[in-house]
């Protein structure tokens, strides 16, 4: 719980600084207020989604191992990939807030990549699908892994004119099927990361 | 002008009355009677003795010591004890002078906050802001020998003067604020913003010579550094004292500090409801208010000051007075007064009243609220 509170506090401070800078740019008429508001909405929802995933892993760990919800997540992590955090005693919240910030930026890039060729609703659907990708949780791991989501979404954003990501979300049947499939696979990945194999 | 003066005096007295009523209620509840003796003992014991109060009085009496156990008093900024010394005129009791000054500055703060809030909204919102400040849960320090009311008065006044584009006066008041508490120099952020926004925003106002006066603000802190250097040969001597006993201060990123606060809330039973959880709740509460302020288009200079004040305060690695520090984040009162939902506004005021009563009573009873 301390990890979540700490990471949430750190991430909110980063978001606040970004928000104030955005408001300043609006006041000196560099960008429009609607653009800042839209970016703020996307980043906050993406950040909350990321924190929600982490909370889910914590709940799974608590449920399976019967550990207290107040126990530091890092002290009960079973998966070998988290050995780096446990062995050097580094605070998990430090990685977590960076991960959440990177996930928020990834969501923002994906949102505007889809919105280039479609509307806001399609952009939200595309961003949601991106987050549902199994393995996005790799962003929570320390090291270079956390750069994978922003690099992927960055690439989609840069190639948005050629990639046409909105085609996936336009087909309702395919979209629904992918959502269900990703949800099942994602749950498995979250379970493995939280509980270990 | 006469009407304005009357309103200011009324606003000032309103804030003071809240605390005086609380003192009287506290006297009855703690001592079981309302005698002059009981009231005097209560005020003396709780408003002049605990925590920082004694240190301010030591500085007022002896100045900064260069050696011995009182040398660590250097961590306290000089303006408030200097005013105590000056206004005691060498004849009045220092503690009594300190309390009178705090009460006068509290009244001044009520008037200044009223005027600042009225500039953006109607009279009812201005009164709301003043009342909310009066019943802030940790506002009991504004009537004791503490620098809170002086600092709050100077910062609100500085913002009001910036708002009215009286830059030389704003610079002078900001200078004094920075000489009162370290957070005073943060006023440079909204000050510079106002000048830049005036130049690059809709108005396209030219930068005037008088705008340069705002650069006086951080010089208050420079004077404090000079005092450090003059006494100890090291302009940052105060940081060495802050790291040691009894403060053990350090500067760490907010995430680490909030995590520590949570751990401390688990480990220090009895202190979690009066120190640690309030600090955690205040952090998240204020940051949510800042985001709401952005959405409601609250004045940018208020949001900027609130943001830098919050961030600066919560970089403190061993914070036990967060509730008291956040009392002086005055944009919070202005943002809440501008919330559109009346039920939420009155709900916040009501909750603040309840917690003000509880924490004031606990403080007067000797609980570790600091």
């Amino acid at each position: 719980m301390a990890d979540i509170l700490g990471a949430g506090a750190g991430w909110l401070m980063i978001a606040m600084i970004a928000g104030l800078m955005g408001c300043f740019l609006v006041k000196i008429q560099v960008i429009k207020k609607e653009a800042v508001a839209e970016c703020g909405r996307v980043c906050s929802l993406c950040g909350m989604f990321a924190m929600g995933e982490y909370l889910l892993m914590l709940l799974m760990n608590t449920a399976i191992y019967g550990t207290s919800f107040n126990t530091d997540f890092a002290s009960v992590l079973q998966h070998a990939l988290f050995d780096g955090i446990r062995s050097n005693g580094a605070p998990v919240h430090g990685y977590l807030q960076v991960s959440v910030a990177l996930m928020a930026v990834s969501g923002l890039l994906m949102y505007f990549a889809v919105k280039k060729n479609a509307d806001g609703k399609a952009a939200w659907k595309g961003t949601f699908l991106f987050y549902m990708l199994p393995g996005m949780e790799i962003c929570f791991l320390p090291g270079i892994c956390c750069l994978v989501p922003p690099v992927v979404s960055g690439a989609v954003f840069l190639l948005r004119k050629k990639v046409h990501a909105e085609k996936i979300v336009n087909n309702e049947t395919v979209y629904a099927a992918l959502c269900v499939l990703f949800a099942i696979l994602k749950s498995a990945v979250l379970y493995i990361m939280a509980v270990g194999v | 002008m006469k009407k304005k003066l009357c309103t200011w005096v009324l606003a000032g007295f309103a804030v003071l009355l809240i605390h005086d009523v609380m003192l009287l209620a506290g006297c009855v509840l703690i001592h079981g009677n309302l005698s002059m003796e009981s009231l005097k003992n209560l005020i003396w014991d709780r408003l002049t003795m605990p925590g920082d109060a004694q240190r301010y009085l030591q500085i007022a009496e002896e100045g900064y010591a260069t050696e011995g156990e009182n040398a660590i008093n250097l961590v306290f900024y000089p303006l408030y004890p200097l005013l105590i010394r000056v206004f005691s005129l060498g004849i009045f009791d220092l503690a009594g002078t300190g309390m009178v000054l705090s009460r006068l500055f509290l009244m001044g703060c009520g008037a200044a906050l009223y005027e600042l809030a009225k500039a953006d909204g109607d009279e009812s919102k201005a009164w709301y802001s003043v009342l909310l400040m009066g019943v802030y849960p940790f506002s009991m320090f504004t009537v004791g020998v503490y620098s809170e009311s002086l600092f709050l008065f100077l910062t609100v006044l500085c913002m009001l003067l910036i708002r009215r584009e009286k830059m030389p006066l704003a610079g002078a008041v900001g200078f004094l604020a920075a000489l009162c508490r370290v957070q005073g120099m943060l006023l440079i952020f909204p000050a510079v913003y106002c000048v830049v926004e005036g130049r690059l925003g809709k108005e396209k106002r030219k930068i005037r010579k008088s705008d340069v006066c705002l650069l006086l603000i951080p010089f208050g802190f420079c004077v404090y550094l000079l005092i450090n250097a003059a006494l100890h040969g090291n302009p940052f001597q105060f940081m060495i004292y802050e790291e040691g006993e009894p403060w053990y201060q350090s500067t760490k990123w907010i995430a680490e500090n909030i995590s520590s606060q949570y751990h401390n809330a688990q480990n220090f039973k009895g202190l979690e409801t009066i120190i640690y959880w309030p600090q955690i709740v205040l952090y998240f509460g204020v940051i949510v208010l800042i985001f709401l302020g952005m959405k409601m288009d609250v004045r940018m200079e208020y949001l900027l000051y609130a943001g830098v004040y919050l961030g600066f305060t919560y970089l403190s690695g061993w914070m036990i007075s967060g509730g008291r520090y956040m009392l002086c984040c005055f944009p919070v009162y202005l943002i809440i007064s501008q919330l559109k939902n009346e039920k939420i506004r009155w709900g916040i005021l009501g909750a603040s009243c309840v917690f003000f009563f509880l924490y004031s009573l606990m403080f007067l009873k000797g609980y570790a609220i600091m």
Side-chain angles (χ1 to χ4, degrees):
Chain A
M1 190 61 192
D3 302 332
I4 291 179
L5 268 180
W11 181 74
L12 279 172
M13 180 55 62
I14 295 168
M16 185 203 76
I17 293 168
L20 287 172
M21 280 170 59
C23 289
F24 173 68
L25 292 173
V26 169
K27 291 291 181 192
I28 61 170
Q29 301 180 310
V30 171
I31 52 176
K32 289 192 177 162
K33 190 180 176 185
E34 291 74 28
V36 171
E38 196 173 18
C39 287
R41 272 196 300 274
V42 175
C43 280
S44 12
L45 282 170
C46 292
M48 280 195 284
F49 192 97
M51 290 291 282
E53 281 192 272
Y54 191 84
L55 188 63
L56 193 58
M57 283 197 284
L58 189 63
L59 284 170
M60 283 182 184
N61 194 283
T62 305
I64 300 297
Y65 287 101
T67 50
S68 163
F69 195 70
N70 288 327
T71 308
D72 275 341
F73 193 26
S75 65
V76 297
L77 287 171
Q78 300 297 312
H79 199 286
L81 281 171
F82 286 91
D83 274 346
I85 301 173
R86 279 187 294 149
S87 62
N88 66 18
V92 171
H93 53 67
Y95 296 113
L96 186 55
Q97 63 187 307
V98 171
S99 302
V100 170
L102 287 172
M103 293 277 269
V105 167
S106 307
L108 192 68
L109 289 167
M110 187 56 71
Y111 178 89
F112 284 108
V114 177
K115 203 181 173 199
K116 176 72 184 167
N117 304 309
D119 60 11
K121 189 181 170 186
W124 278 117
K125 286 170 77 173
T127 307
F128 177 71
L129 193 66
F130 174 68
Y131 268 81
M132 288 299 284
L133 275 171
M136 277 288 283
E137 299 71 38
I138 202 170
C139 198
F140 292 127
L141 301 178
I144 207 159
C145 305
C146 64
L147 292 176
V148 170
V151 165
V152 167
S153 59
V156 173
F157 178 78
L158 288 170
L159 299 168
R160 60 193 183 279
K161 286 181 187 173
K162 293 180 183 176
V163 170
H164 287 281
E166 77 284 357
K167 283 183 180 173
I168 296 174
V169 304
N170 285 343
N171 189 322
E172 293 285 347
T173 312
V174 169
Y175 181 74
L178 282 173
C179 281
V180 170
L181 177 67
F182 287 174
I184 295 168
L185 292 172
K186 194 175 193 59
S187 303
V189 172
L190 281 175
Y191 182 83
I192 291 166
M193 284 183 77
V195 171
V197 287
Chain B
M1 187 63 200
K2 206 174 174 183
K3 191 187 171 192
K4 255 192 179 179
L5 204 60
C6 286
T7 313
W8 292 346
V9 170
L10 204 61
F13 269 113
V15 192
L16 204 56
L17 188 65
I18 291 168
H19 290 279
D20 287 342
V21 166
M22 186 61 231
L23 274 171
L24 293 172
C27 190
V28 171
L29 289 167
I30 293 167
H31 292 289
N33 63 69
L34 197 54
S35 65
M36 278 307 291
E37 189 68 27
S38 304
L39 191 61
K40 195 180 162 190
N41 288 339
L42 184 73
I43 289 172
W44 194 257
D45 284 343
R46 299 308 302 152
L47 297 181
T48 67
M49 299 293 286
D52 298 349
Q54 279 298 302
R55 298 207 180 265
Y56 282 122
L57 293 172
Q58 280 167 6
I59 300 169
E61 189 169 8
E62 302 159 0
Y64 287 119
T66 51
E67 53 191 16
E69 59 181 25
N70 286 350
I72 59 173
N73 289 347
L74 185 67
V75 308
F76 294 92
Y77 281 56
L79 185 64
Y80 181 59
L82 178 65
L83 289 174
I84 293 176
R85 178 69 174 258
V86 166
F87 284 96
S88 71
L89 302 173
I91 50 175
F92 297 120
D93 174 60
L94 291 174
T97 308
M99 280 202 294
V100 167
L101 283 174
S102 289
R103 291 166 72 84
L104 286 171
F105 288 126
L106 179 61
M107 289 178 68
C109 184
L113 188 65
Y114 173 88
E115 206 52 34
L116 190 62
K118 193 159 173 263
D120 290 313
D122 54 38
E123 211 169 320
S124 63
K125 287 184 179 169
W127 278 113
Y128 179 93
S129 303
V130 172
L131 282 174
L132 189 61
M133 182 192 70
V135 296
Y136 172 82
F138 296 93
S139 61
M140 69 289 277
F141 293 98
T142 52
V143 288
V145 183
Y146 301 93
S147 61
E148 266 62 34
S149 48
L150 170 61
F151 180 68
L152 200 44
F153 170 64
L154 290 171
T155 49
V156 176
L157 184 62
C158 183
M159 191 66 83
L160 183 63
L161 290 167
I162 291 172
R163 194 64 212 275
R164 294 201 170 148
E165 298 188 3
K166 294 186 193 307
M167 302 311 195
L169 269 175
V173 172
F175 169 87
L176 291 174
L179 202 55
C180 179
R181 293 264 284 272
V182 66
Q183 288 98 331
M185 64 175 172
L186 300 176
L187 285 163
I188 192 66
F189 285 91
V192 167
Y193 163 77
C194 284
V195 171
V196 171
E197 195 268 337
R199 180 73 189 97
L200 299 175
K202 284 180 190 169
E203 287 176 25
K204 301 277 188 264
R205 183 173 63 78
K206 281 186 182 172
I207 295 177
R208 297 167 293 211
K209 283 182 191 171
S210 59
D211 292 341
V212 177
C213 295
L214 292 171
L215 294 176
L216 272 173
I217 294 171
F219 274 96
F221 179 63
C222 293
V223 168
Y224 176 65
L225 294 181
L226 280 171
I227 293 172
N228 274 250
L231 292 172
H232 296 275
N234 176 8
F236 299 100
Q237 183 65 30
F238 70 99
M239 291 178 74
I240 297 172
Y241 287 143
E242 278 179 352
E243 284 168 3
E245 203 176 323
W247 298 290
Y248 305 107
Q249 274 300 354
S250 56
T251 303
K252 296 177 187 172
W253 179 237
I254 287 159
E256 193 169 342
N257 291 333
I258 294 289
S259 284
S260 298
Q261 294 286 320
Y262 180 82
H263 283 301
N264 291 342
Q266 306 297 306
N267 297 330
F268 293 102
K269 295 297 171 195
L271 297 179
E272 74 273 27
T273 51
I274 58 176
I275 295 179
Y276 300 112
W277 276 117
Q279 288 177 168
I280 294 172
V281 168
L282 275 169
Y283 176 83
F284 286 104
V286 171
I287 214 164
V288 164
L289 280 172
I290 291 171
F291 279 116
L292 278 173
M294 288 185 217
K295 197 179 170 191
M296 295 187 304
D297 233 355
V298 168
R299 292 190 73 90
M300 184 67 191
E301 54 265 37
Y302 301 162
L303 299 177
L304 195 51
Y305 182 68
V308 293
Y309 189 97
L310 180 74
F312 189 88
T313 301
Y314 276 81
L315 285 174
S316 179
W318 186 255
M319 190 164 65
I320 53 173
S321 304
R324 178 161 59 96
Y325 297 155
M326 291 311 292
L327 156 69
C328 299
C329 185
F330 67 86
V332 166
Y333 314 124
L334 300 170
I335 296 170
I336 296 174
S337 76
Q338 291 184 37
L339 290 175
K340 290 186 173 49
N341 191 316
E342 216 171 300
K343 283 183 186 169
I344 292 176
R345 271 206 326 270
W346 289 109
I348 291 173
L349 186 64
S352 201
C353 282
V354 169
F355 283 108
F356 167 70
F357 177 77
L358 285 172
Y359 282 127
S360 297
L361 199 58
M362 290 167 87
F363 174 74
L364 292 172
K365 281 197 84 170
Y367 280 71
I369 295 175
M370 45 191 105

